[in-house]
């Protein structure tokens, strides 16, 4: 499974293509006694929660959709997602003048469903993420829409790699970057960019215990799946790994770590207190890893953490940080 990683030339070209529709998100050095006690260092936050549609996802969605023919765009696109990718596809479809029909599990956050509809996307609700993938195939066949994958493929990775390129331009020297993993498209793309620019920087991927597809895949040496997503970080709840993103992660990621839901909640609370940011559980995953399994290993190091999204409703957020 040797995947050809996007080259730096391809990543720079992708950034130029998507530039009209994405934000160059800021980085912020998180200083303070509480964060240093919790994390063992003062991390640098890459604030991708400030991206259009509230997460990193428009980068990959736009790269895929800008590669489509005029006829494909005319027929529209479809996608499957617990929310962030669906919102990004809705945003990208509106920006490029086409239509989107997205499939989401019934337990998706009402705020994310509303967010998709606000961008003009038609939303189809199904029982779970496994059923969602099956429904998308039916939509492709019946309506001729093009499927925009939530995490797999070179175009997706090239899009997410623009985030890694930005980070390296914004921060002069890094020892490590911690990246959340759902399907692996974010981690694989960011890692590909960072490692080609700075091979000495260590890349850590973090998964929730209840959606450990990449851990299972690393152990077996091939893409693996799970029967059910069992984590509050639903936007990291990919039902399976896929060949290209798996291969990129295998090539560029030094180590994978797991965090549980209590660690995610604790990180959400810490980010709220110290950075005054209300992030979704997935957006706190990299911080949870730095405060937990990676604390001793990265103490005193120059560490960047990817704050990948903040699409959560007020009630759901309050439940997590007060539990």
């Amino acid at each position: 499974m040797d995947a050809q990683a996007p080259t730096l030339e391809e990543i720079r070209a992708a950034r130029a293509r998507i530039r009209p529709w994405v934000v160059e998100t800021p980085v912020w050095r998180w200083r303070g006694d509480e964060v240093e006690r919790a994390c063992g260092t003062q991390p640098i936050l890459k604030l991708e929660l400030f991206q259009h549609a509230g997460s990193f996802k428009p980068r990959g969605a736009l790269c895929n959709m800008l590669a489509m023919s005029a006829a494909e765009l005319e027929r529209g696109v479809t996608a499957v997602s617990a929310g962030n990718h669906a919102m990004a596809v809705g945003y990208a479809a509106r920006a490029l003048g086409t239509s989107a029909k997205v499939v989401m599990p019934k337990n998706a956050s009402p705020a994310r469903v509303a967010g998709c509809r606000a961008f003009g996307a038609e939303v189809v609700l199904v029982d779970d993420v496994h059923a969602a993938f099956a429904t998308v195939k039916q939509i492709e066949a019946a309506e001729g829409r093009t499927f925009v994958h939530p995490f797999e493929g070179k175009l997706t990775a090239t899009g997410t790699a623009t985030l890694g390129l930005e980070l390296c331009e914004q921060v002069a020297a890094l020892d490590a970057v911690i990246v959340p993993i759902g399907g692996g498209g974010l981690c694989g793309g960011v890692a590909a960019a960072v490692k080609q620019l700075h091979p000495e920087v260590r890349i850590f991927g973090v998964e929730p215990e209840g959606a450990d597809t990449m851990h299972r895949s690393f152990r077996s040496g091939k893409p693996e799946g799970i029967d059910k997503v069992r984590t509050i970080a639903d936007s990291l709840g990919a039902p399976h790994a896929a060949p290209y993103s798996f291969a990129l992660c295998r090539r560029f990621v030094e180590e994978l770590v797991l965090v549980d839901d209590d660690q995610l909640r604790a990180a959400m609370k810490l980010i709220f207190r110290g950075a005054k940011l209300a992030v979704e559980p997935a957006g706190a995953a990299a911080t949870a890893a730095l405060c937990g399994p990676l604390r001793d290993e990265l103490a005193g190091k120059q560490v960047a953490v990817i704050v990948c999204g903040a699409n959560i409703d007020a009630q759901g957020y309050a439940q997590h940080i007060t539990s």
Side-chain angles (χ1 to χ4, degrees), residues 153-320:
K154 187 174 180 181
L155 285 170
T156 300
T158 306
T160 59
T162 65
L163 192 161
L165 178 64
E166 271 181 24
L167 174 63
C168 289
E169 291 176 350
Q170 291 167 317
V171 183
L174 286 168
D175 296 310
V177 180
I178 307 175
V179 192
I181 294 179
L186 174 63
C187 191
V190 169
V194 173
K195 280 293 194 179
Q196 289 180 80
L197 287 163
H198 301 291
E200 74 283 0
V201 176
R202 301 179 70 196
I203 308 293
F204 296 86
V206 54
E207 288 186 300
E209 287 185 354
D212 60 344
T213 54
M214 197 61 70
H215 274 79
R216 296 179 186 219
S217 301
F218 270 40
R219 283 196 299 268
S220 72
K222 66 182 190 299
E224 299 286 355
I226 54 176
D227 64 334
K228 186 177 181 180
V229 175
R230 299 176 176 87
T231 175
I232 61 170
D234 54 349
S235 52
L236 299 183
H240 58 264
Y244 184 83
S245 48
F246 165 67
L248 281 190
C249 289
R250 276 279 293 244
R251 178 175 172 185
F252 292 116
V253 176
E254 270 88 1
E255 185 178 339
L256 299 178
V257 297
L258 290 169
V259 293
D260 63 30
D261 285 355
D262 286 341
Q263 289 172 308
L264 290 169
R265 292 186 185 98
M268 291 171 70
K269 295 174 188 177
L270 180 66
I271 293 168
F272 180 74
R273 289 194 304 269
K276 308 308 178 191
L277 296 172
V279 303
E280 63 180 284
T287 300
L290 182 58
C291 294
L294 296 176
R295 187 190 186 286
D296 292 343
E297 188 170 354
L298 296 179
K301 303 292 187 183
Q302 179 94 324
V303 182
V305 299
I306 308 299
V307 185
C308 59
N311 287 320
I312 188 168
D313 62 278
Q315 182 179 1
Y317 180 77
Q319 288 174 346
H320 289 314

Side-chain angles (χ1 to χ4, degrees), residues 16-284:
R17 285 195 303 274
I18 68 176
R19 191 187 302 274
W21 302 286
V22 299
V23 175
E24 182 175 319
T25 54
V27 296
W28 183 68
R29 169 77 73 177
W30 187 0
R31 295 180 171 90
D33 291 341
E34 184 181 19
V35 67
E36 190 155 7
R37 286 195 303 271
C39 298
T41 189
Q42 295 180 338
I44 296 163
L45 306 185
K46 175 60 171 166
L47 296 170
E48 194 65 9
L49 77 164
F50 294 137
Q51 189 55 258
H52 291 301
S55 81
F56 71 94
K57 288 288 190 177
R59 296 176 185 267
L62 284 162
C63 276
N64 278 280
M65 292 169 65
L66 287 168
M68 293 177 189
S69 68
E72 287 173 322
L73 284 176
E74 178 72 20
R75 291 192 297 270
V77 296
T78 187
V80 55
S81 168
N84 286 344
H85 179 63
M87 290 176 65
V89 169
Y91 164 74
R94 188 181 71 177
L96 300 180
T98 187
S99 65
K101 189 172 187 176
V102 299
V103 184
M104 304 174 71
K106 290 178 180 177
N107 64 351
S109 163
R112 293 178 186 167
V113 174
C116 292
R117 290 175 173 151
F119 286 124
E122 180 181 351
V123 178
V124 178
L125 298 175
V126 297
D127 287 337
D128 56 35
V129 71
H130 292 282
F133 275 93
T135 302
V136 158
K137 290 186 178 181
Q138 295 169 3
I139 292 170
E140 284 185 277
E143 302 182 23
R145 293 179 181 271
T146 301
F147 177 49
V148 182
H149 201 285
F151 56 83
E152 177 68 340
K154 187 174 180 181
L155 285 170
T156 300
T158 306
T160 59
T162 65
L163 192 161
L165 178 64
E166 271 181 24
L167 174 63
C168 289
E169 291 176 350
Q170 291 167 317
V171 183
L174 286 168
D175 296 310
V177 180
I178 307 175
V179 192
I181 294 179
L186 174 63
C187 191
V190 169
V194 173
K195 280 293 194 179
Q196 289 180 80
L197 287 163
H198 301 291
E200 74 283 0
V201 176
R202 301 179 70 196
I203 308 293
F204 296 86
V206 54
E207 288 186 300
E209 287 185 354
D212 60 344
T213 54
M214 197 61 70
H215 274 79
R216 296 179 186 219
S217 301
F218 270 40
R219 283 196 299 268
S220 72
K222 66 182 190 299
E224 299 286 355
I226 54 176
D227 64 334
K228 186 177 181 180
V229 175
R230 299 176 176 87
T231 175
I232 61 170
D234 54 349
S235 52
L236 299 183
H240 58 264
Y244 184 83
S245 48
F246 165 67
L248 281 190
C249 289
R250 276 279 293 244
R251 178 175 172 185
F252 292 116
V253 176
E254 270 88 1
E255 185 178 339
L256 299 178
V257 297
L258 290 169
V259 293
D260 63 30
D261 285 355
D262 286 341
Q263 289 172 308
L264 290 169
R265 292 186 185 98
M268 291 171 70
K269 295 174 188 177
L270 180 66
I271 293 168
F272 180 74
R273 289 194 304 269
K276 308 308 178 191
L277 296 172
V279 303
E280 63 180 284

